[in-house]
Amino acid sequence: MVLFGVLLMILVGMLILQKINKLKKLEIAAIWLFIPSLIHDIAIGLSNLKIIELTKNIEMHSSFIVGKTLLIPVIILMFINASVGRPSVTIKIMISLFSAAILLFVEYSFEWAGVITHKNVSLWSSYLFWLLTILLLLGLRQFFNILLQRRSKHIV
């Protein structure tokens, strides 16, 4: 059953990545590599502080890892792609707020499935974490884009 879920997540991820057309391939790769390391480091820290507790079931734990390395980056890339090229700051803020809500739903769906258990974590702190993650990635994307533009000016 877990294998089916993993394969389904990979298939959905591949289909969504085909629709991401406003980001450069290098931006997608940089964001994709940054997201799992950031989330993994924070999850280890929270686990060590006993704020979240991971399941001991290896199948459930593997689905958590696959979700964190495949599902979360695909969702974040989808929303970053949706915000690129939008002239209105209000629309970008609305997209960021909505994407943080979706990511919060994904996080708590892991808890409802019994994969993780939150201890002493409020819903708002999790939402704030996802919102700050989205804003950080949007800022890193903008910084990365400026570096690429400067680099291309020096080459030409």
Side-chain angles (χ1 to χ4, degrees), residues 6 9 61-73 106 110:
V6 169
M9 278 195 284
H61 190 75
S62 345
S63 69
F64 176 72
I65 291 172
V66 169
K68 292 290 185 179
T69 56
L70 289 176
L71 184 63
I72 300 293
V106 170
F110 282 122

Side-chain angles (χ1 to χ4, degrees), residues 13-101:
M14 296 301 281
L15 291 173
I16 290 174
L17 281 177
Q18 300 247 334
K19 299 295 180 188
I20 295 177
N21 54 6
K22 295 178 185 172
L23 296 173
K24 297 175 181 82
K25 302 294 186 223
L26 197 54
E27 288 175 322
I28 292 172
I31 291 171
W32 194 291
L33 291 173
F34 182 74
I35 293 168
S37 64
L38 171 75
I39 293 171
H40 180 71
D41 291 346
I42 290 173
I44 287 176
L46 293 177
S47 178
N48 286 339
L49 294 172
K50 303 291 183 202
I51 294 173
I52 64 168
E53 186 176 301
L54 296 171
T55 183
K56 304 294 184 218
N57 184 344
I58 192 71
E59 290 177 346
M60 298 288 268
H61 190 75
S62 345
S63 69
F64 176 72
I65 291 172
V66 169
K68 292 290 185 179
T69 56
L70 289 176
L71 184 63
I72 300 293
V74 166
I75 292 171
I76 290 174
L77 282 169
M78 187 175 65
F79 284 112
I80 289 175
N81 185 60
S83 70
V84 170
R86 305 280 182 183
S88 172
V89 175
T90 307
I91 293 175
K92 288 183 180 185
I93 290 172
M94 295 300 288
I95 290 171
S96 297
L97 292 172
F98 182 70
S99 63

